[in-house]
Amino acid sequence: MENIKKKINDFSELVMFKHSVFALPFIFIAMMVASVEVNGSAWFGLKLFILGVFAAVTARNFAMGFNRYMDRDIDALNPRTKNRPNVDGRVSASQMLGFIIINALGFIVVAYFINTLAFYLSFPILFILASYSYFKRFSYLAHIILGISLGLAPIAGVVAITETITLWSVLLSIGVMFWVAGFDLLYSLQDIEVDKKLGLHSIPSVFGANKTMLISKVFHFCTVLFWLLFVITSNSGFFAYLAVVVSAVMLSYEHILINRDFNKIDKAFFTVNGYLGIVFFFLILIDTF
């Protein structure tokens, strides 16, 4: 039993399970808003709630597992990542492959039980999620690919409810894309020298810290803009507008933290962005009820 518990903890560390807080709120935001449009109620039922959770978890586990599998050589040469389970032997390559396959199949099966469009989209979604691991080896657009990967969450949410893709869900997704790409740029500041040494293509290693921080600010300005457009096109109310304002304040605070001290990157990355998603979710929840 102790060995099983330890292995579960190793896999949880491998895929950084606690970071699911970034994607989950925006899946359910889209599901709630779509449900109001279709059913007149924000509650979309227990079945879709459970399937939504499983879809989000299996998709993220697949993406992170695939990334850790592909990055074994890179992570071993980075002082910040050399103690990860995919490097130090706690999770073997064969175990990672099994984990990747199980979660990919799990995602496809869950999508099948949601609806036909979700099932058809599950295959290109998995392809996009896997492509991030390759992009950073030849293009600094990898940050955008990561943003797109998480930005698919709201579209997946609305497809689950309506089996269509709405304009407001696309705008919400673009906002998420810029949000994730923006904070990934800040997080990547920690690895400038390592990326240069290993020949990896990140925006910080190509353009330097100052330009990276400026690009991140532009991305986060776009985040607020597209989330505002989402609120307008979805005919949401006061609390949805408040969610956008609060997000703008929190993103500004994130940049203030980084500008003052690069040692606070972890705080800015996880704490501020984690709370941002949760606060945004609860304000939309209030707005839809």
Side-chain angles (χ1 to χ4, degrees):
M1 182 62 71
E2 195 65 32
N3 288 337
I4 294 175
K5 183 179 179 181
K6 183 178 182 301
K7 185 58 68 175
I8 291 173
N9 289 335
D10 289 339
F11 273 103
S12 178
E13 182 182 341
L14 177 76
V15 299
M16 302 175 77
F17 190 74
K18 61 183 180 180
H19 288 185
S20 298
V21 72
F22 297 138
L24 274 173
F26 287 94
I27 292 175
F28 290 118
I29 286 170
M31 293 177 79
M32 290 189 300
V33 175
S35 184
V36 168
E37 288 186 348
V38 174
N39 306 315
S41 168
W43 178 235
F44 39 81
L46 183 61
K47 176 186 174 182
L48 281 178
F49 175 79
I50 293 172
L51 290 174
V53 170
F54 274 105
V57 170
T58 52
R60 191 182 179 285
N61 282 348
F62 166 79
M64 290 297 296
F66 189 84
N67 180 252
R68 293 291 186 260
Y69 178 80
M70 293 301 301
D71 280 4
R72 302 190 310 282
D73 55 337
I74 295 172
D75 287 346
L77 300 174
N78 187 336
R80 186 177 62 81
T81 59
K82 65 180 182 180
N83 294 319
R84 284 177 174 173
N86 60 320
V87 177
D88 63 14
R90 281 178 288 159
V91 178
S92 68
S94 60
Q95 288 172 336
M96 279 187 280
L97 277 175
F99 182 79
I100 292 164
I101 293 169
I102 289 170
N103 279 281
L105 293 175
F107 178 69
I108 293 169
V109 170
V110 169
Y112 175 82
F113 282 106
I114 291 175
N115 57 50
T116 303
L117 181 58
F119 174 68
Y120 288 149
L121 290 177
S122 65
F123 298 97
I125 285 174
L126 287 175
F127 176 79
I128 293 170
L129 294 177
S131 65
Y132 167 70
S133 300
Y134 291 100
F135 256 82
K136 59 190 172 185
R137 297 170 186 267
F138 65 85
S139 172
Y140 58 76
L141 294 178
H143 307 279
I144 299 293
I145 300 300
L146 180 63
I148 291 172
S149 297
L150 271 77
L152 292 170
I155 290 178
V158 77
V159 165
I161 303 297
T162 67
E163 208 167 347
T164 59
I165 299 174
T166 61
L167 173 61
W168 62 258
S169 68
V170 173
L171 295 170
L172 177 60
S173 292
I174 294 173
V176 173
M177 178 195 74
F178 279 117
W179 172 50
V180 173
F183 71 64
D184 186 58
L185 287 178
L186 298 178
Y187 192 72
S188 298
L189 289 170
Q190 301 174 97
D191 296 328
I192 291 180
E193 297 306 320
V194 173
D195 288 347
K196 288 180 179 178
K197 182 179 179 181
L198 299 180
L200 296 176
H201 299 267
S202 67
I203 286 178
S205 67
V206 174
F207 296 101
N210 291 334
K211 288 184 179 178
T212 296
M213 293 170 71
L214 175 60
I215 295 170
S216 178
K217 288 182 175 71
V218 172
F219 280 7
H220 283 159
F221 173 81
C222 292
T223 297
V224 175
L225 175 61
F226 278 98
W227 283 348
L228 177 60
L229 292 173
F230 147 68
V231 171
I232 294 170
T233 55
S234 62
N235 296 313
S236 297
F238 169 78
F239 286 100
Y241 284 96
L242 181 59
V244 176
V245 172
V246 171
S247 298
V249 172
M250 295 182 75
L251 289 172
S252 298
Y253 175 63
E254 177 179 7
H255 285 275
I256 290 171
L257 280 177
I258 302 297
N259 285 337
R260 289 178 177 174
D261 188 357
F262 274 19
N263 291 324
K264 293 182 178 179
I265 287 176
D266 275 344
K267 180 180 180 181
F269 173 76
F270 182 70
T271 306
V272 176
N273 289 296
Y275 279 120
L276 186 155
I278 293 170
V279 171
F280 203 108
F281 167 79
F282 277 108
L283 286 172
I284 297 296
L285 177 65
I286 295 170
D287 194 75
T288 53
F289 274 93

